[in-house]
Amino acid sequence: MATTNHTAVSEFLLLGLTDDPALQPLIFSLFLSMYLVTILGNLLIILAVSNDSHLHTPMYFFLSNLSFNDICLITSTIPKMLVNILRQDQSITYAGCLSQICFVLIFGGLENCLLAVMAYDRYVAICHPLTYTVIMNPHLRVLLVLLSLLISVVHALLHTLMVLWLSFCSDVEIPHFFCELAQVIKVACSDTLINNVLVYLVAGLFAGVPLCGIIFSYVNIVSSVLRMPSSKGKQKAFSTCGSHLSVVSLFYGTGFGVYISSEVTDSPRKTAVASVMYSVVTQMLNPFIYSLRNRDMKEALRKLIGRTASL
């Protein structure tokens, strides 16, 4: 049977964060700055980890993967927004919109999985320190990252293929700065019941399982730390988890904030502004959280900058 094209449009219009033309230069400068800071910060993390042999450990292996994922996630949305502002053109092609949906879901989902993997890494390090290097061997590390990527790709392709079956009328306007799945489903002309059920079902499973894994890991970590006789040992154990807990709180906190704002407010534009927190600000702050709270990372960055300056 021949496949049928279910869409009647060749492009969508991304309305962005505001209709005020006077604010466009400010928004362009702000988002360009955040994008450059995010790229630079995460690249420094990756280079510091790869160039310092003391950081060739499971924790920093996962951290460098998280940094690379943050670069990919923010690159899937911000450059198109900046180009549209420069060209004063709000359009995005149908294929471009589907690609953006797919990549945002892949890298957003991978971030979710990597945070759970990093929580498991901290659980093994603190609760099973004697067998830590044996359990978190290089093969398992790579396997966990590849498994996270596979799950994220399957999740993204499932939603993207479901969007392919939706029909869209002409002059489709998306009140957002990128093609977010929920907003694209809302502007469809055909029945979206299956899509909406799938979004809530998969989101509950896909976000819930990693979050439960993180909670399980930290319950065991706290229980193990409280049994330590030395206060210095307790402080050291908690300090190794502080950065990760901060990133987890930021990621899930902003994600739930966007969900709550979309349910409470009737303004899609306000939801778009809230989405900036989890799709841009989180990726920008992650390098600062890990570098400012981590003595080993600060030392590695100092060595990297010193080596670069001497060249």
Side-chain angles (χ1 to χ4, degrees), residues 9 21 110 118 137 143 239:
V9 296
L110 185 55
M118 293 172 78
N137 59 76
L143 181 62
S239 67

Side-chain angles (χ1 to χ4, degrees), residues 9 21-22 30 35 53 70 74 86 97 103-104 119 134 137 139 202-203 205 216 271 275 295 306 309:
V9 296
L30 180 62
Y35 180 67
S53 59
D70 284 340
I74 197 170
L86 275 180
C97 190
F103 284 123
V104 168
V134 176
N137 59 76
H139 296 293
V202 176
L205 181 66
F216 171 81
T271 303
S275 297
R295 186 178 302 170

Side-chain angles (χ1 to χ4, degrees), residues 262-293:
S262 65
E263 294 296 323
V264 172
T265 181
D266 294 327
S267 172
R269 203 54 77 75
K270 290 181 180 179
T271 303
V273 173
S275 297
V276 173
M277 291 300 297
Y278 84 86
S279 61
V280 180
V281 176
T282 300
Q283 287 69 46
M284 181 182 68
L285 292 180
N286 283 356
F288 293 100
I289 293 173
Y290 273 102
S291 60
L292 294 177
R293 294 178 60 91

Side-chain angles (χ1 to χ4, degrees), residues 44-55:
L44 284 174
I45 294 289
I46 295 170
L47 290 173
V49 171
S50 61
N51 284 298
D52 195 325
S53 59
H54 294 95
L55 300 184

